[in-house]
Amino acid sequence: MTEPVKYGRARSPDREQIDRLLGAIIKERGRAIGQPQFELACEVGVSVQQLQCYMRGDTRLHAATLYEIAQAQRTPIAYYFDEMERRRGSEPASG
């Protein structure tokens, strides 16, 4: 069961899973290219704390922010979606 939110609609478990997965992909990509979090945050124009919220999946990313992250990581934006699909496809089915 999802928790109600003060504004908007409740975040479904599936959406939360996607947010966490996308955040992990961004974090791992930064590590792979040797980009410190403070550098990525500066290039995107957010605080390190806000970037960490994105990476944990605590805060939903807007498409424009993901685009800026992709630009800052010099990575095609499709990489994040392709990687997410690859990882979601390898998860065991629940039920």
Side-chain angles (χ1 to χ4, degrees), residues 64-81:
T65 305
L66 180 58
Y67 177 80
E68 290 171 346
I69 288 170
Q71 293 294 303
Q73 291 187 331
R74 287 130 185 95
T75 303
I77 198 165
Y79 167 84
Y80 304 93
F81 295 105

Side-chain angles (χ1 to χ4, degrees), residues 6-19:
K6 192 170 186 177
Y7 301 101
R9 59 187 158 145
R11 291 177 65 174
S12 71
D14 189 51
R15 285 179 178 223
E16 289 179 5
Q17 178 187 23
I18 291 168
D19 292 340

Side-chain angles (χ1 to χ4, degrees), residues 33-90:
I33 64 173
Q35 183 180 47
Q37 288 183 11
F38 71 87
E39 182 182 296
L40 177 57
C42 187
E43 287 192 45
V44 174
V46 299
S47 68
V48 172
Q49 292 80 8
Q50 182 62 47
L51 180 64
Q52 290 170 341
C53 285
Y54 293 142
M55 290 180 171
R56 285 191 308 267
D58 294 342
T59 304
R60 175 145 307 141
L61 276 164
H62 293 277
T65 305
L66 180 58
Y67 177 80
E68 290 171 346
I69 288 170
Q71 293 294 303
Q73 291 187 331
R74 287 130 185 95
T75 303
I77 198 165
Y79 167 84
Y80 304 93
F81 295 105
D82 292 344
E83 187 65 16
M84 195 171 2
E85 286 300 311
R86 187 185 68 77
R87 293 182 189 194
R88 288 189 77 190
S90 66

